Structures are given as C-alpha cells and as structure tokens.
Amino acid sequence: MTETDLAGSLQALLLAVTGHLLANPGPSGSASLATYHAQLQHATKAELGTRRFWEHSVEKGLLPALLTTAAATEAARQAHNGSQESLQQQQQQQEREQEVVDARVLALRPCAKLLCTNVRGCSEGRLRGRRCGGCGVVRYCSEECQLQHWAQHGPVCAALAALKLQV
C-alpha cells in the first residue's frame, strides 16, 4: 500500500466518522466537526500527501474536536444514567412509603391478615392486645395468622419499627 493509498483510506475513515457524528449530533462540537469534515471532503490528493495538511487539519483540528465530542457524549451518557438511577431510587422509596401506609391501615384491623376467617372465641376487644413482636404496630388474632401473613408484613416490619421509634 502506497502512502497515497494510505492517505486516501484514512481520509475515507475520517469522513465516515465525522459524517456519522454530523448525522447524529451529540451534545456539542458539531460546528467544528462540520468545518473539518468539509476540509477533508474537498482535499485533493496532493493536499492529502502533505505533512502540513495532516498536522494542521487533522492532528491539531479534527482529532481535538473528536475528543471533545467524545467527552461531551460520555458526560451526557453518564448524566442520563445517573438520572435513571435517581428515578429508580425515587420509585423504590415511594413503594416503601406505600407499603408503610398499607401497614398502618392494617394496624386498624383486629387481624392484619386480610383474608382472616378466624372466629374462634376471642372478641375483637381482646384481639387488640396481640401485636407483632417486631414492629408492635399490626395486630393478629392468632400466631397462625401472623405466620401466614409474614410474607407480606416482613419486608415492612423493620420500617414500621423505625417509624414508631421516631414518633
């Protein structure tokens, strides 16, 4: 491969890269990229063969512009990822808060197990004293109901206990 062929191949590669970046604009740097893209596009074979063209137009112009564009694109990508993570954290926090609200509503019932059908003797007045040993907020009519309801109550039990200590 001759030096002229190499210069032509490099020109084609740089034109493809800058063309893609101009067609899909990123956060910044498209004006300077457009200038260097035009210089590459209109360069003659004689110009491509000169050291001055590659030093001036490519090394000192196009490559720094490409690096600036790459850095700006990476910063935008990281900011976007950070905002997505923040949104997910907010959604998780809202879900936990809703679980606490649900648990507080259940605390008003004689038995927190929603489908409880236990009618074995105790009056509702006596049931009020049987609270969860972990949080002390929700009530159960029996140990059996508490064990059956643990899958739903377990994840919010510690949060309820912490809220109770804050009040």
Side-chain angles (χ1 to χ4, degrees):
M1 181 176 265
T2 67
E3 207 172 282
T4 306
D5 293 337
L6 183 61
S9 297
L10 193 51
Q11 178 192 26
L13 173 68
L14 290 173
L15 282 171
V17 169
T18 56
H20 175 75
L21 290 173
L22 291 171
N24 304 295
S28 69
S30 60
S32 61
L33 282 177
T35 302
Y36 293 114
H37 181 79
Q39 285 179 4
L40 274 171
Q41 213 169 16
H42 300 298
T44 63
K45 285 189 178 190
E47 287 176 317
L48 290 176
T50 65
R51 183 180 189 125
R52 185 182 180 287
F53 176 82
W54 290 102
E55 284 178 357
H56 176 65
S57 295
V58 177
E59 190 177 322
K60 292 182 181 173
L62 179 60
L63 294 180
L66 286 172
L67 290 174
T68 301
T69 302
T73 302
E74 178 62 17
R77 186 188 66 78
Q78 287 178 354
H80 178 71
N81 288 346
S83 66
Q84 282 184 333
E85 290 172 8
S86 176
L87 182 61
Q88 288 174 344
Q89 289 172 349
Q90 288 175 353
Q91 288 173 340
Q92 289 173 348
Q93 180 64 27
Q94 288 174 348
E95 289 172 5
R96 278 181 285 208
E97 289 171 1
Q98 184 60 46
E99 289 172 348
V100 169
V101 168
D102 293 346
R104 284 186 171 175
V105 169
L106 290 175
L108 301 174
R109 298 174 42 90
C111 184
K113 183 180 167 215
L114 290 175
L115 300 176
C116 175
T117 57
N118 185 1
V119 289
R120 288 182 262 158
C122 291
S123 67
E124 281 188 10
R126 187 158 178 238
L127 291 176
R128 298 225 177 252
R130 296 183 151 195
R131 295 183 180 269
C132 170
C135 65
V137 176
V138 297
R139 298 179 193 89
Y140 294 97
C141 66
S142 65
E143 188 177 329
E144 179 184 330
C145 277
Q146 183 177 6
L147 290 173
Q148 290 174 356
H149 187 247
W150 181 251
Q152 289 81 33
H153 176 64
V156 296
C157 187
L160 286 171
L163 285 174
K164 189 175 177 184
L165 291 174
Q166 289 177 356
V167 176

